[in-house]
Amino acid sequence: MNQPRILPFYMAYPLPMYYQQEDSVTRDLEYLQQMYPAQAKKFQKLIAETLDHIDYEGSMIYDEYPDKWQIYRLTQMITDKIKGSGEEGPVEEDWNKTTEFVQILLCYEIYRRRHCNNNGILKF
């Protein structure tokens, strides 16, 4: 006879273990983020401020497939803020590398915001 298999109690609801694992990954990423060089921390702060303005439900950062042009536009906005901040920035030839670095940090921050929130539930 076909009898249904009885699941052990810890396998009946596996999601709490998933959220604990995700929480530990988030803490690990935030710890590693604290070890960024000083200039990267400044860039990260500007990126976080910029994303705070567009962090709402339905924002382009929560699209299933964010538009590459929008990411590029955000990168240019942040790079312009860095140039206009008056602080000593990179030499003129290094702005391409700085722009690429800002775009990498931006994509990382968007990833972090998409996957980390107070509820532990993915936003998309």
Side-chain angles (χ1 to χ4, degrees):
M1 255 187 155
N2 248 349
Q3 292 183 352
R5 299 181 88 190
I6 299 174
L7 289 174
F9 72 93
Y10 60 87
M11 292 186 73
Y13 301 102
L15 290 178
M17 287 184 264
Y18 171 76
Y19 293 135
Q20 289 173 352
Q21 180 184 7
E22 183 177 323
D23 194 35
S24 67
V25 169
T26 303
R27 280 183 285 147
D28 190 32
L29 288 173
E30 288 174 354
Y31 173 73
L32 291 173
Q33 192 176 19
Q34 292 174 359
M35 289 193 258
Y36 281 175
Q39 193 170 20
K41 285 182 183 178
K42 290 178 187 176
F43 294 166
Q44 186 68 31
K45 185 177 178 183
L46 278 172
I47 290 168
E49 289 173 3
T50 303
L51 287 180
D52 284 343
H53 293 294
I54 61 168
D55 191 359
Y56 54 86
E57 191 171 334
S59 173
M60 59 79 65
I61 64 175
Y62 297 114
D63 289 346
E64 188 173 356
Y65 299 104
D67 186 29
K68 188 174 184 175
W69 184 81
Q70 290 285 345
I71 300 293
Y72 177 76
R73 191 174 69 92
L74 279 173
T75 303
Q76 290 304 315
M77 285 174 44
I78 294 166
T79 306
D80 291 343
K81 283 183 184 179
I82 293 169
K83 287 179 182 178
S85 67
E87 294 180 18
E88 185 178 324
V91 183
E92 194 62 39
E93 302 97 34
D94 292 339
W95 277 110
N96 280 342
K97 291 179 184 178
T98 302
T99 302
E100 289 176 359
F101 182 61
V102 167
Q103 187 169 0
I104 291 169
L105 288 174
L106 176 66
C107 290
Y108 169 76
E109 183 67 20
I110 289 172
Y111 172 82
R112 194 177 68 77
R113 287 175 186 246
R114 287 170 61 133
H115 289 278
C116 303
N117 63 13
N118 296 336
N119 300 332
I121 300 171
L122 297 178
K123 287 193 174 188
F124 59 93

